[in-house]
Amino acid sequence: ARKGKTPEEVVKKYLQKVKSPPEEDCTICMEPLGGPSGYKGPGVTPVSRAESVGRLAQCGHQYHFQCLVAMYNNGNKDGSLQCPTCKTIYGVKTGNQPAGKMEYHVIPHSLPGHPDCKSIRIIYNIPPGLQGPEHPNPGKPFTARGFPRHCYLPDSEKGRKVLKLLLVAWDRRLIFSIGTSSTTGESDTVIWNEVHHKTEFGSNLTGHGFPDPGHLNNVLEELRAQGITEDDGLM
Ligand code: NAD
Ligand code: ZN
Ligand code: ZN
């Protein structure tokens, strides 16, 4: 929907004007907010003095306008902006998860620690492919190891709530990313993004299994950090 907006217009939308910049450094470029942006990259158009510093409307953190535009241009330019200090999200954050499929069903077995309910199995399938402009090495192939990946949630009220939010995260391309696997060291491969999943069913040999009493709350917190809150599950 925001495809027509320039990066400057997107950034401006989330900013309030600052009459006199504080005597602090911009934490993007480390130069004083009272002076010009330290960012001198291509595609940055000069702005008038009055517009050189902006305050993010919700969290209040202040940056050089040009530094925010440069940060936006380095991301996937989806119309959203995340404060680099406090991680407040402006707009709807999306990721760069490659194309694939997410399915789920209920299985008639209980997970360790959840004896009173059945379980939900999520199946993620992502085939290998070519990286797009939103990926670390556009045009280069990426691998996809261990797919289909099977993940488990208790089929409880809270487990179903987490599932709903994971479906939102999938649509926003936030479950997986492309990068270097911290487990295998392989680069240009599909990796989990910042939302933890349980991939072991009846045991916990990998540390990615049950029981784990904090798991559902941790996942809700990780989803929140991606801008997905319980309101998103109401659709
Ligand atoms: P990674 O190693 O870069 O780690 C990213 C995040 O995923 C970290 O938070 C990590 O704690 C978590 N993670 C690591 N291994 C996990 C696992 N087995 N289950 C759930 N979460 C895990 O991420 P990655 O490279 O995507 O995954 C690590 C390895 O696990 C890969 O080699 C992958 O092939 C393998 N894997 C295999 C299967 C399978 O069914 N065969 C399923 C899941 C993961
Ligand atoms: Zn700056
Ligand atoms: Zn902030």
Side-chain angles (χ1 to χ4, degrees):
R2 295 195 187 87
K3 279 221 167 65
K5 286 211 161 82
T6 66
E8 285 81 3
E9 286 168 337
V10 171
V11 170
K12 213 166 279 179
K13 201 170 65 163
Y14 303 128
L15 291 180
Q16 296 170 333
K17 291 219 167 76
V18 174
K19 289 218 178 79
S20 51
E23 293 189 16
E24 286 166 20
D25 292 346
C26 166
T27 56
I28 297 177
C29 70
M30 303 303 172
E31 297 292 333
L33 286 170
S37 162
Y39 184 79
K40 293 179 184 66
V44 174
T45 46
V47 288
S48 72
R49 191 71 191 76
E51 284 180 319
S52 67
V53 171
R55 178 195 291 115
L56 285 170
Q58 203 181 318
C59 65
H61 287 119
Q62 298 183 32
Y63 305 96
H64 292 115
F65 176 70
Q66 290 184 334
C67 286
L68 288 171
V69 171
M71 188 186 78
Y72 181 80
N73 281 328
N74 277 329
N76 53 5
K77 303 187 196 64
D78 60 4
S80 78
L81 195 69
Q82 189 159 21
C83 174
T85 302
C86 70
K87 312 297 177 199
T88 295
I89 295 166
Y90 296 83
V92 176
K93 178 178 173 169
T94 62
N96 64 2
Q97 170 185 288
K101 221 162 73 176
M102 174 184 184
E103 297 174 310
Y104 64 91
H105 52 254
V106 173
I107 54 174
H109 304 284
S110 297
L111 288 160
H114 298 277
D116 300 328
C117 62
K118 298 177 182 177
S119 307
I120 299 164
R121 175 159 60 206
I122 304 172
I123 304 173
Y124 293 113
N125 214 341
I126 294 182
L130 278 184
Q131 297 181 54
E134 72 275 40
H135 294 132
N137 294 301
K140 216 179 144 183
F142 65 86
T143 57
R145 308 290 183 196
F147 287 96
R149 295 190 188 183
H150 290 191
C151 310
Y152 302 95
L153 291 170
D155 188 25
S156 60
E157 199 179 322
K158 199 166 196 172
R160 287 190 290 268
K161 180 158 89 184
V162 167
L163 173 66
K164 268 190 188 168
L165 301 187
L166 289 175
L167 288 162
V168 175
W170 173 267
D171 283 341
R172 295 185 189 174
R173 304 177 65 192
L174 291 166
I175 303 276
F176 294 96
S177 181
I178 292 179
T180 301
S181 167
S182 54
T183 305
T184 64
E186 185 179 13
S187 58
D188 301 294
T189 193
V190 180
I191 52 172
W192 293 110
N193 195 20
E194 300 181 9
V195 181
H196 277 87
H197 284 70
K198 295 297 192 185
T199 53
E200 223 183 308
F201 184 80
S203 53
N204 192 14
L205 304 171
T206 57
H208 302 290
F210 293 90
D212 181 352
H215 178 60
L216 295 177
N217 284 336
N218 290 342
V219 176
L220 289 173
E221 198 47 51
E222 291 168 343
L223 286 162
R224 182 176 295 278
Q226 301 294 326
I228 299 170
T229 65
E230 297 181 22
D231 298 339
D232 292 302
L234 298 177
M235 307 167 303

